[in-house]
Amino acid sequence: MGLCEKAEGLFTQPQKHNSKKMKLNLKIWREGGQYKKGQFVNYQLDNVSEHMSFLEMLDVLNEQLIAKKEEPVSFEHDCREGICGTCDMVINGHPHGPNAGTTACQLHMRFFKDGDTVTIEPFRAKAFPVIKDLVVDRSAFDRIIQAGGYISVNTGQAQDGNAIPIEKGTASRSMDAAACIGCGACVAACPNASAMLFVSAKVTHLATLPQGEVEAKRRARNMVKQMDEEGFGFCSNIGACEAECPKEISVENIAILNSEYLSAAFTGGKE
Amino acid sequence: MSWFSNFSNSSIGNKVLVSLTGLFLSLFLVVHLAGNLQLLVDDGGAAFNSYSEVMSSNLLIKIVALGLYAAIIAHAVKGILIYVKNRRARGNIKYAVKTGSNSSWASRNMAFLGSLIFIFIAIHMAQFWFKFKFGYMENHPDLTHYDVVVTGFKQTWIVVFYVLAQIALGYHLLHGFQSAFQTLGVRKGKYTKLIQNIGVVFSIIVPLAFAVIPVLVYMDVYPLGAFTVIPGQPLEASH
Amino acid sequence: MSVKLDSKVPAGPLAEKWTQYRSTMNLVAPNNKRRIDIIVVGTGLAGASAASTLGELGYNVKCFTFHDSPRRAHSIAAQGGINAAKNYQNDGDSVYRLFYDTIKGGDYRSRESNVHRLAEVSRNIIDQAVAQGVPFAREYGGLLANRSFGGVQVSRTFYARGQTGQQLLLGAYQSLSRQISLGSVEMYNRHEMLDLVVVDGKARGIIARNLLTGAIERFAAHAVVIATGGYGNVFYLSTNAMNSNTSAAWRTVRRGALMANPCFTQIHPTCIPVSGDYQSKLTLMSESLRNDGRVWVPKNQEDAKAIREGRKTANEIPEGERDYYLERRYPAFGNLVPRDVASRAAKVACDEGLGVAPTGLAVYLDFAAAIERYGKSRAHSLGLENPDKATITQLGEKVVEEKYGNLFEMYEKITGEDPYKTPMKIYPAVHYTMGGIWVDYNLETNIPGLFALGECNFSDHGANRLGASALMQGLADGYFVLPYTIGQFLSGEIRTPHIEPTLPEFDQAEKDVRDRIDQLINNDGSQSVESFHRRLGKIMWDYCGMSRNAEGLKSARQMIVELRKEFYKDVFVPGSAEDYNPELEKALRVADFFELGEVMVLDALNRNESCGGHFREEYQTPEGEALRDDENYAYVAAWQYTGWDEEPVLHKEELVFENVELKTRSYK
């Protein structure tokens, strides 16, 4: 019955230009469902187009699994344009794959070769427990933000947006830090599973701006306290976080957080 | 003082302790190196022995030395505790594919390098400091500190061991130096490059100089003939 | 169920309606607010801003998202900016002008009073966002920077690089997080609303599925607010996030809310074209690119064919052989015509065989002229005399990189082509849905106690939304409208005790949900949910996409009904209902898309005119422009769903224009 075939090629003419097709060996971590304890399972995928995104390649695998009435591989994803921070997987040892400044959803198959073996694992950290297959629980990040990652202003209390001029460079540095998408790749990449890059990006984003400076000390103290309680490791300035960060957030933010925290501890007054 | 216990129990507080002790130990390395260089003075050990004499009798030095022992213990113990804590934070299952391309080897192996250095310090202290402090010199009144050191450095395995230990120290410093400034929140903005560069120079020069000393003593080469310091007298050429 | 559409627009002059109304509306005293529970579903700009503001006011808020964190909502993906009538540029902007541009841009199919209110509060949004720490772009003097967007002749768009949506959402998310930490908002992540519970005619709760455990849970409250976004994913391929869906909103329709103007879909002109059949979603290139990019196709079909077959490249087409069709057809606005106009023009060009991708479906967006212009200007300010072409290009590329660097990078990542060297290829794609749940001036649906905010309501954008206005509307609704207007309803509820989720209505709703899930998970089918979704999307795109006609719409409706039947007969949903199961989530969503899709087609068929994003081939001018019929269709079409194989019932809200004159929209 041709229903499935009919569904293909609906939106476009099949590609005529020389798009390469490749064969991949996938080694994917499965956990939950029939794979109680968690294990790697090998899959072979033919006819992978170089124009596919990495997640579209996994879609194709899942379609094949479903056709065989097997459970598809669970992985999280949403916007598929590198901004929501939902996708989270370690590809060949790199969170979000080997390309710099790229989320897994932006990674395209033209960076792989015919016959490659691709190992896909979940983010590994005690503070990010595995939920199923490649899906992990990153709610610790939410709790860290709740501990102080905001400016305390109620709706309607604001003065005119131009009332406080902010130097262009200052706004830009704040924006560099604010670009963090909260995906957790920094934790996944860090041999210590430290969340310092994430926390420092938020602290820097807000502390750099005059609006956020007011409660900067309190913020640094409370966010670090929550970070410690969540069971993340201690930063030893390895720098893998920066190297793997899909938004290329700088470890300089960590130095800024450290100095904020130190000054909070010694001059921040009573909590 | 609850703010202090909050601070020192926090992740950043812990690391600040490690970085401060680390920087203190780095400073000590410089002082120690300055003393050791006198081994290379071609004066039959006079300079070294007088230095050694001052080091073992001056009260202030003794107090600083206590601080030094404490710093070594604190740096090592905290370092190991943080290492254990960090292993746990990573979880029970390791990545199947390990990659080293996203960070330096030294930064990932500070605990290992530190342990090597700690073993070295233990052997080093047993070899000299223990002998100097606990009776060996009394039993051998004919020997000076200089004699003990030079005799030690005539053994091939000791020299090899010392050189290897300095390589470990070099890598440890290569990451540790700038990491300490990062933890103290200084390594940012325009200081970043400066601290990085000083760190690289420091972690090459200091261990190299330390390693050169036993090698030269082993080869009976004493290149520093120029000046020596005799307490109570102005500097003069010793030729 | 009888339906009465009362827009509850307050009396008085347009510019004073909101101020007067706000000063006279009923309030809930602080001690009573503590006793009132509100459910907010969705944590995008509208949901998060509403939940946090209601929490600040002292209500007990329960907030829901199907994401793992409120910060993932799709508002985060908005790139270009947010409009506000600040007139910081002194270029003649005003509240009235923003109001007028929005009404005109929406092709006169939105409610005057709502749009004017939106323009009024737009100014407060910028202030609020700045205070929250949103790092908007600044000028050297430290003041806020602006840029232009399509369909307007002033610069009123505020932006934070190409990540404005992200930064505004993080601002709202952080406010929400603060309320969570203060205990005024209880957050439920990974919970998907699967039904609305109506008790005695009022919205009193929801049934949600815990996506981690599969548990079906009941939540009761005095009022329910949905802010669950648009339904663009009914087309399968769209710029929406993969998980964006209509289910929460559609379930309220199944409980009696009305679906207004569902056929008004925005097709965004600048998206990266489709590259293959595995494609899962489309990526938008910000409209801000049209500030500097020039849209063109080759003048003759041979050149286009040669490009498609890879025998020629864009750069080999001489200037004289290029057709900058937007500049030619619409000289007044040029490349900055509104989205619907630009999209249709691209479709016309490709239909004429002038498309430039192997699929035939792409046009060029070219930055060469901008690079040269900026390069010359930069060389001039650097004092370079007679700079050579390479220097100019180099300097110009740098300026373009400063302005659009992250967008260019994104394009290169996806396509592997360098847009600095060869023009970008773009094609229209489904982006936003102007239609949505019918609401009155209070943003309340026809079910008392049920409110709809942001993209999921229909209220402000008429038949076409202007760029950078979605963020504005989401935040206006959540920060500055609903928190006041909800008091109108809740002031009558202060004597209502806590709603108990043990009422028989909750039993029934939970049973309905369980039945739907059981039916899907136990179905002995063979086809994947994805394959059905793809086929539905294809029908919608082909017959209810950029251009529509009566014949196509009629057959599309039939096809959708048949596909829906096939879905329930042959869909296969793997896994278990009592577990984390994304396939089951998807199945429930696609099931709702079938029902919505049918109503969209019906609405498009009913509206015998062309306006905004709704282009009926039968109704066009000889030049191919949209032909509106204000005589017969200046109304909101609000559809009441009555069940499978039943005719939905059409309710009309006549649109009254007292302040603007209905004109043929012209951007020429």
Side-chain angles (χ1 to χ4, degrees):
Chain A
M1 168 64 200
L3 278 173
C4 281
E5 289 144 49
K6 225 173 88 190
E8 286 169 15
L10 278 176
F11 284 73
T12 59
Q13 302 300 315
Q15 295 289 297
K16 295 228 169 57
H17 62 294
N18 52 345
S19 82
K20 275 186 298 187
K21 295 280 181 193
M22 51 193 146
K23 190 181 272 190
L24 292 177
N25 302 304
L26 303 173
K27 190 178 159 197
I28 302 178
W29 181 264
R30 304 294 311 258
E31 185 170 341
Q34 68 179 106
Y35 306 99
K36 281 275 172 303
K37 288 195 73 177
Q39 67 184 83
F40 279 102
V41 180
N42 293 305
Y43 302 96
Q44 205 181 62
L45 203 55
D46 301 339
N47 285 323
V48 176
S49 157
E50 58 167 348
H51 296 294
M52 284 180 182
S53 73
F54 195 83
L55 300 191
E56 282 165 353
M57 182 274 292
L58 288 180
D59 289 342
V60 171
L61 171 71
N62 278 347
E63 284 292 287
Q64 293 181 5
L65 290 176
I66 292 169
K68 287 191 277 182
K69 303 234 160 180
E70 289 177 31
E71 257 204 82
V73 179
S74 290
F75 62 95
E76 283 200 289
H77 61 97
D78 197 24
C79 77
R80 296 209 177 184
E81 48 188 271
I83 193 72
C84 72
T86 308
C87 57
D88 54 344
M89 56 185 78
V90 174
I91 302 164
N92 288 342
H94 296 276
H96 294 297
N99 290 14
T102 306
T103 55
C105 64
Q106 291 175 301
L107 178 64
H108 277 67
M109 297 313 294
R110 62 176 176 275
F111 296 103
F112 294 86
K113 289 193 307 292
D114 189 34
D116 273 359
T117 295
V118 184
T119 307
I120 311 171
E121 307 171 69
F123 282 5
R124 298 253 181 238
K126 205 171 131 229
F128 287 172
V130 172
I131 290 169
K132 193 174 186 184
D133 298 340
L134 304 171
V135 180
V136 299
D137 177 4
R138 289 168 287 182
S139 53
F141 273 12
D142 279 338
R143 291 188 289 274
I144 293 174
I145 298 294
Q146 285 158 18
Y150 46 75
I151 291 173
S152 300
V153 56
N154 280 0
T155 304
Q157 291 178 334
Q159 55 185 339
D160 186 80
N162 261 345
I164 312 172
I166 298 172
E167 199 253 325
K168 191 178 162 88
T170 306
S172 179
R173 280 196 300 282
S174 174
M175 180 64 218
D176 286 342
C180 168
I181 56 174
C183 66
C186 44
V187 174
C190 177
N192 309 335
S194 163
M196 281 289 274
L197 193 66
F198 169 77
V199 175
S200 69
K202 187 47 64 195
V203 162
T204 305
H205 159 210
L206 296 176
T208 308
L209 298 169
Q211 306 91 301
E213 209 187 336
V214 181
E215 51 188 331
K217 288 177 177 167
R218 188 168 168 266
R219 179 183 308 120
R221 201 160 40 204
N222 292 343
M223 288 180 77
V224 168
K225 183 162 175 274
Q226 187 64 37
M227 172 183 79
D228 290 350
E229 281 171 14
E230 296 291 345
F232 292 103
F234 295 2
C235 172
S236 60
N237 307 319
I238 291 171
C241 51
E242 178 185 277
E244 300 288 2
C245 173
K247 295 294 147 185
E248 300 178 312
I249 306 282
S250 164
V251 291
E252 191 171 318
N253 294 306
I254 296 181
I256 293 169
L257 167 60
N258 286 332
S259 78
E260 289 284 343
Y261 188 80
L262 275 168
S263 103
F266 288 93
T267 65
K270 275 198 150 148
E271 187 48 34
Chain B
M1 290 298 274
S2 79
W3 71 269
F4 188 75
S5 68
N6 282 346
F7 170 74
S8 51
N9 288 331
S10 73
S11 56
I12 295 180
N14 269 279
K15 286 155 24 182
V16 164
L17 182 74
V18 176
S19 72
L20 286 176
T21 50
L23 288 176
F24 177 65
L25 293 174
S26 300
L27 192 65
F28 162 72
L29 286 179
V30 177
V31 176
H32 190 19
L33 179 62
N36 284 16
L37 283 175
Q38 300 183 64
L39 282 170
L40 299 184
V41 178
D42 193 9
D43 62 355
F48 184 80
N49 279 331
S50 62
Y51 152 76
S52 194
E53 179 64 31
V54 172
M55 293 309 274
S56 52
S57 59
N58 187 306
L59 183 67
L60 186 67
I61 301 261
K62 278 186 175 167
I63 294 169
V64 174
L66 285 180
L68 178 69
Y69 307 143
I72 293 174
I73 301 291
H75 191 80
V77 170
K78 269 293 176 206
I80 294 295
L81 287 178
I82 290 176
Y83 173 79
V84 171
K85 155 98 192 157
N86 285 348
R87 288 304 95 182
R88 289 217 189 105
R90 183 112 290 299
N92 297 327
I93 304 172
K94 306 280 172 249
Y95 286 121
V97 181
K98 291 178 182 60
T99 174
S101 62
N102 57 19
S103 52
S104 73
W105 178 83
S107 71
R108 280 176 276 121
N109 291 283
M110 289 300 275
F112 169 67
L113 291 166
S115 305
L116 287 186
I117 295 165
F118 192 81
I119 293 167
F120 164 74
I121 293 173
I123 292 174
H124 174 59
M125 287 179 82
Q127 197 186 356
F128 301 125
W129 177 85
F130 188 82
K131 280 184 181 169
F132 297 165
K133 286 265 165 174
F134 299 101
Y136 183 83
M137 300 312 286
E138 284 76 16
N139 295 337
H140 300 82
D142 52 325
L143 292 180
T144 65
H145 287 179
Y146 180 80
D147 298 329
V148 176
V149 174
V150 171
T151 316
F153 287 169
K154 291 294 178 195
Q155 291 162 270
T156 314
W157 74 268
I158 292 271
V159 174
V160 171
F161 175 67
Y162 268 59
V163 169
L164 290 178
Q166 294 312 309
I167 293 174
L169 177 64
Y171 276 106
H172 196 74
L173 285 171
L174 197 60
H175 177 69
F177 188 90
Q178 55 165 320
S179 175
F181 286 98
Q182 168 90 355
T183 298
L184 295 175
V186 186
R187 184 186 170 279
K188 59 188 182 195
K190 57 191 175 192
Y191 302 114
T192 307
K193 265 265 147 324
L194 182 72
I195 289 170
Q196 271 174 347
N197 291 338
I198 294 178
V200 171
V201 171
F202 187 88
S203 45
I204 292 172
I205 299 279
V206 172
L208 188 67
F210 269 117
V212 159
I213 293 167
V215 171
L216 291 181
V217 171
Y218 181 75
M219 295 176 359
D220 265 333
V221 177
Y222 301 96
L224 302 182
F227 292 100
T228 183
V229 182
I230 298 168
Q233 288 185 19
L235 287 176
E236 63 177 53
S238 63
H239 285 292
Chain C
M1 163 179 145
S2 74
V3 173
K4 195 173 95 249
L5 286 188
D6 176 6
S7 63
K8 294 187 185 148
V9 174
L14 181 68
E16 285 153 39
K17 276 185 205 288
W18 176 236
T19 322
Q20 277 177 10
Y21 183 60
R22 218 175 44 181
S23 318
T24 55
M25 67 175 57
N26 299 329
L27 297 174
V28 180
N31 58 327
N32 286 328
K33 283 192 180 115
R34 285 197 288 274
R35 291 205 291 264
I36 289 184
D37 304 311
I38 303 174
I39 284 171
V40 178
V41 186
T43 60
L45 288 180
S49 58
S52 64
T53 306
L54 293 171
E56 287 162 12
L57 290 173
Y59 294 108
N60 294 314
V61 181
K62 292 187 177 79
C63 189
F64 295 81
T65 175
F66 63 73
H67 285 107
D68 70 319
S69 161
R71 68 181 292 156
R72 313 260 187 241
H74 191 53
S75 305
I76 205 149
Q79 298 169 352
I82 176 166
N83 289 330
K86 280 285 198 183
N87 193 29
Y88 282 158
Q89 305 305 320
N90 195 30
D91 56 2
D93 199 9
S94 65
V95 167
Y96 182 83
R97 199 180 284 277
L98 174 54
F99 154 76
Y100 181 78
D101 285 345
T102 308
I103 289 276
K104 177 189 172 195
D107 224 354
Y108 308 95
R109 290 293 174 266
S110 43
R111 202 186 278 149
E112 271 190 348
S113 54
N114 285 50
V115 176
H116 198 275
R117 176 177 63 190
L118 173 67
E120 285 173 58
V121 302
S122 69
R123 297 170 302 181
N124 307 52
I125 297 170
I126 300 304
D127 302 341
Q128 186 65 30
V130 168
Q132 288 170 348
V134 171
F136 284 121
R138 302 263 168 177
E139 306 289 357
Y140 281 110
L143 303 180
L144 292 159
N146 288 121
R147 60 185 169 203
S148 306
F149 256 62
V152 299
Q153 290 168 315
V154 293
S155 252
R156 63 160 77 100
T157 305
F158 296 78
Y159 62 99
R161 298 209 182 128
Q163 292 127 278
T164 317
Q166 179 199 25
Q167 292 311 313
L168 291 169
L169 182 64
L170 291 181
Y173 159 71
Q174 286 163 200
S175 285
L176 176 63
S177 296
R178 176 165 160 254
Q179 293 308 310
I180 295 169
S181 74
L182 294 171
S184 53
V185 177
E186 215 175 322
M187 188 67 223
Y188 294 87
N189 293 339
R190 296 189 191 271
H191 276 70
E192 181 156 22
M193 168 177 165
L194 291 181
D195 213 342
L196 175 76
V197 183
V198 180
V199 181
D200 298 333
K202 291 176 179 170
R204 293 300 199 191
I206 63 167
I207 306 294
R209 180 165 179 269
N210 179 332
L211 300 184
L212 282 184
T213 63
I216 305 299
E217 299 171 12
R218 305 170 177 199
F219 299 93
H222 293 85
V224 175
V225 178
I226 59 165
T228 53
Y231 48 84
N233 271 346
V234 69
F235 291 89
Y236 185 71
L237 283 181
S238 80
T239 65
N240 284 190
M242 298 298 287
N243 296 306
S244 298
N245 67 81
T246 190
S247 286
W250 187 253
R251 285 293 132 192
T252 70
V253 175
R254 295 287 302 232
R255 293 285 175 196
L258 304 181
M259 190 72 195
N261 297 338
C263 80
F264 288 163
T265 321
Q266 177 160 81
I267 317 284
H268 196 293
T270 52
C271 300
I272 298 178
V274 175
S275 70
D277 13 294
Y278 44 77
Q279 190 116 5
S280 60
K281 79 150 268 166
L282 298 171
T283 302
L284 176 79
M285 289 280 103
S286 168
E287 177 159 308
S288 60
L289 291 171
R290 283 198 278 141
N291 269 308
D292 283 311
R294 299 178 73 195
V295 178
W296 64 275
V297 289
K299 267 188 183 158
N300 63 65
Q301 293 182 351
E302 289 74 62
D303 280 343
K305 189 156 182 276
I307 291 172
R308 286 199 293 273
E309 290 169 1
R311 288 182 284 112
K312 263 190 184 175
T313 66
N315 296 332
E316 286 165 14
I317 308 295
E319 202 56 35
E321 293 302 311
R322 300 176 176 190
D323 180 13
Y324 295 92
Y325 58 84
L326 288 178
E327 296 169 25
R328 174 173 56 79
R329 289 176 60 182
Y330 309 100
F333 281 69
N335 292 297
L336 279 175
V337 291
R339 294 175 173 175
D340 54 339
V341 178
S343 291
R344 230 161 20 240
K347 181 178 189 301
V348 169
C350 293
D351 287 349
E352 285 170 3
L354 299 170
V356 293
T359 56
L361 299 177
V363 300
Y364 286 126
L365 181 64
D366 196 338
F367 291 86
I371 288 172
E372 194 183 329
R373 192 175 72 243
Y374 286 124
K376 278 184 178 156
S377 150
R378 181 60 61 95
H380 180 75
S381 56
L382 289 173
L384 300 178
E385 281 178 35
N386 301 324
D388 58 11
K389 198 157 171 14
T391 314
I392 291 175
T393 307
Q394 199 190 354
L395 291 170
E397 282 178 359
K398 241 190 123 87
V399 179
V400 168
E401 191 189 336
E402 281 164 24
K403 296 182 82 145
Y404 310 111
N406 58 337
L407 297 170
F408 275 46
E409 213 176 278
M410 193 200 270
Y411 181 86
E412 189 173 356
K413 258 178 206 156
I414 292 173
T415 62
E417 289 175 359
D418 179 0
Y420 293 99
K421 306 294 175 210
T422 56
M424 278 185 186
K425 285 189 214 119
I426 53 161
Y427 197 69
V430 175
H431 178 56
Y432 186 89
T433 50
M434 283 73 70
I437 304 297
W438 184 88
V439 289
D440 62 18
Y441 190 71
N442 293 329
L443 304 181
E444 191 173 14
T445 67
N446 56 310
I447 302 176
L450 177 68
F451 295 78
L453 317 184
E455 189 178 349
C456 92
N457 75 26
F458 87 104
S459 79
D460 294 346
H461 304 295
N464 173 55
R465 179 174 65 75
L466 290 179
S469 283
L471 303 184
M472 172 172 70
Q473 188 221 337
L475 290 179
D477 288 358
Y479 283 135
F480 297 110
V481 180
L482 177 90
Y484 296 103
T485 58
I486 200 171
Q488 286 288 73
F489 171 76
L490 290 175
S491 57
E493 297 291 328
I494 52 175
R495 282 176 199 85
T496 312
H498 282 292
I499 310 295
E500 291 303 327
T502 45
L503 294 169
E505 286 85 351
F506 281 88
D507 294 342
Q508 184 59 44
E510 182 181 326
K511 185 179 174 297
D512 292 349
V513 166
R514 287 187 188 281
D515 289 349
R516 267 158 58 210
I517 291 174
D518 289 346
Q519 183 185 8
L520 289 169
I521 202 96
N522 296 329
N523 203 36
D524 187 25
S526 63
Q527 299 179 62
S528 72
V529 178
E530 198 77 13
S531 66
F532 280 104
H533 192 183
R534 205 178 275 141
R535 288 163 68 193
L536 173 65
K538 164 80 173 157
I539 298 170
M540 296 303 295
W541 180 247
D542 285 351
Y543 300 100
C544 198
M546 264 193 287
S547 72
R548 300 132 182 212
N549 62 54
E551 202 186 331
L553 288 165
K554 278 180 201 152
S555 58
R557 187 176 179 195
Q558 200 50 42
M559 285 190 249
I560 294 170
V561 170
E562 274 161 24
L563 191 61
R564 187 190 71 213
K565 286 179 180 156
E566 190 184 327
F567 173 81
Y568 281 102
K569 217 169 69 194
D570 199 32
V571 72
F572 168 64
V573 182
S576 132
E578 281 83 40
D579 192 7
Y580 179 82
N581 189 345
E583 283 299 314
L584 175 61
E585 295 166 26
K586 204 156 49 175
L588 287 160
R589 293 168 189 168
V590 171
D592 289 333
F593 277 136
F594 283 117
E595 299 177 7
L596 168 74
E598 194 188 336
V599 178
M600 285 172 72
V601 166
L602 197 60
D603 185 44
L605 189 59
N606 169 68
R607 194 168 278 278
N608 292 317
E609 62 163 351
S610 293
C611 64
H614 170 67
F615 190 79
R616 280 281 299 272
E617 288 159 10
E618 305 95 312
Y619 308 99
Q620 54 181 309
T621 65
E623 301 93 61
E625 303 294 338
L627 195 61
R628 230 173 45 221
D629 180 357
D630 296 329
E631 190 85 7
N632 297 305
Y633 290 96
Y635 65 74
V636 176
W639 297 89
Q640 182 186 358
Y641 194 78
T642 42
W644 289 357
D645 307 321
E646 307 270 338
E647 272 312 292
V649 182
L650 173 63
H651 302 270
K652 296 178 185 175
E653 179 201 339
E654 292 298 333
L655 290 168
V656 186
F657 293 93
E658 293 169 336
N659 299 275
V660 296
E661 186 194 343
L662 271 67
K663 285 196 256 186
T664 302
R665 219 163 43 126
S666 168
Y667 295 92
K668 285 187 186 284

